[in-house]
Each structure stands twice: as C-alpha cells, then as structure tokens.
Amino acid sequence: RGCKMMESVCKELGVSYKNNGSLVVGFNDEDRTVLNELLERGNKNGVERLQILEKDELKKLEPNLSENVTCALYAPTAGIVCPYTLAISAVGNAMDNGAELKCNFKVIGIDEIENGYKLSAENDAVEARYVINCAGVYSDEIAKMIGDDSFSVHPRRGEYILLDKECGDTVSCTIFRTPSKMGKGILVTPTVHGNLLLGPTAFDMEDKEDKDTTAEGFANILGNTHETVSGVALNKTITS
C-alpha cells in the first residue's frame, strides 16, 4: 500500500520512481529465524506478496549474489526513488499551493502563544498553530526550547559509495543484510538514475557537525559488500 502511494505521489510530482523489489539476505540459521519474524510482521502490516526465497531461487533472480547467501525475504512491491528530487519537488509543490519557504532560519527560541507557537530567529519570526520538529541531530535541542528534555540525540555517521552507471546492473533488487541492533547494515542497490549505491557505514560520533568520509569507512563498505555480492562481480564493477 505504501509503495503504491509513493508511486502515485512521485507520478504527481514528476519524480522518477522504480518498482525494483528488495531482498533481505541471510547467511545462516540465525538469520533465517529473523527473516521469518520479519515475514510474519510484514504480513500483519499488510505488505503484499512477501515470501522467503531459497538459494536456488535467489541465484535465478540475482545471479551476482554471493554463494554464502542461503535465503532471503523477498518484497516484490518495494521501490526506489531519488530522495533529493522528491524533497525538492515536494517543497516546490507546497510553494505552488501557498507555502512559504524560509532558508537559513536558525531557531533560537520558541514561545507558546495563544493559538500555537512563535519561533524566533535572529532577524525573523514565524507563528504557527502546529510545529513539526524535524531538526535531525539537533531535534533534542529544539525540543528543549519548549521544555522537553526527555531525549538526547547521539549522532551516528553513515558513508556511502556511489558507483558509475556502468555498474548499475550488478543487481536489480535493493539488497539488505539481515538487520541487527546497528540497523540494516551495508546495502547494495541500483538507483533510479542507473548508478549502483553501496552503504552506509554506522559510526557513533560525538561531534554533530562531523561529516568526514574516511578510508576506514570505504574499506568497511567494500568488505561488507563482498560478503553480499560475489567478489568477481563486484571487482568487475569497481574496475570497469
């Protein structure tokens, strides 16, 4: 249902969308247990046509998967979109319908008023009945401005590698690892523009402004990708 809705939204906004399906791959019996739990949860949530695929079926669907992959949860309704063009198009659509975009508006104070809130920046202010706190790693600091100190954000940096379009057909589905407490791990996915995207890493950070990319991060991405996609196929994509 969610994918159909996203496809409809992308069509309305003129944003590229591709229904390519996804695989959450497993390597052992422990992974299989988790995949069966995800299958049950997905069925309860109304995700259509979910199924567990075995190794022979997977190799037909994705020939470049590693020989170490034993099973996977297949979601044929999954899709991909360019998040940047989607966000920009959504903002443009909102402005066409009367919204005002304010850039470089750093909130330094929030006051409750009779009909909502007043958000103040250095040389500007806006009033709103409702305010959505989507300040990312700074959402805890925004929350504190209205007296909510119930949570704090500890940043985690993620690095990606974007490969050339010559590599885009290495896989057709979006390939996830079986999730752990650190997330879904390193994914391998085509993009709507025909590239191949690998990542992300997940390094806990102290500095919320640290956006560095590192050799350690790239090595981590490539090492994990080799475990999911066959080494021969990946080496060919990186050296082509």
Side-chain angles (χ1 to χ4, degrees), residues 77-228:
T77 59
I80 52 177
V81 64
C82 176
Y84 309 107
T85 54
L86 178 60
I88 292 169
S89 297
V91 170
N93 181 270
M95 294 173 69
D96 289 341
N97 286 279
E100 181 182 356
L101 174 64
K102 287 182 175 290
C103 297
N104 301 314
F105 187 103
K106 182 179 180 180
V107 177
I108 59 175
I110 303 177
D111 298 301
E112 290 193 48
I113 57 177
E114 183 177 354
N115 294 317
Y117 301 90
K118 179 179 180 181
L119 284 71
S120 300
E122 288 188 358
N123 300 306
D124 200 357
V126 296
E127 296 181 2
R129 181 173 296 180
Y130 301 103
V131 176
I132 300 173
N133 180 2
C134 50
V137 293
Y138 292 100
S139 56
D140 53 346
E141 298 181 22
I142 294 296
K144 288 177 183 177
M145 294 183 185
I146 58 168
D148 180 4
D149 58 0
S150 62
F151 69 97
S152 58
V153 175
H154 303 278
R156 180 175 291 166
R157 184 179 67 207
E159 298 156 282
Y160 285 90
I161 296 176
L162 182 65
L163 298 178
D164 192 89
K165 292 181 180 180
E166 292 183 13
C167 313
D169 61 355
T170 303
V171 295
S172 58
C173 295
T174 297
I175 314 295
F176 296 100
R177 299 285 291 262
T178 301
S180 68
K181 64 180 181 179
M182 291 297 286
K184 297 179 180 179
I186 303 298
L187 66 82
V188 182
T189 183
T191 71
V192 291
H193 302 298
N195 301 86
L196 189 71
L197 183 68
L198 316 176
T201 55
F203 293 112
D204 290 327
M205 311 297 297
E206 293 294 332
D207 182 2
K208 293 183 177 183
E209 289 295 320
D210 187 347
K211 303 180 181 69
D212 289 345
T213 55
T214 64
E216 177 189 7
F218 291 158
N220 179 268
I221 291 171
L222 294 176
N224 277 272
T225 303
H226 273 289
E227 296 176 7
T228 306

Side-chain angles (χ1 to χ4, degrees), residues 27-40:
F27 298 86
N28 49 49
D29 290 341
E30 183 178 348
D31 287 347
R32 185 183 290 274
T33 298
V34 175
L35 295 180
N36 282 317
E37 292 173 355
L38 294 177
L39 173 64
E40 182 179 356

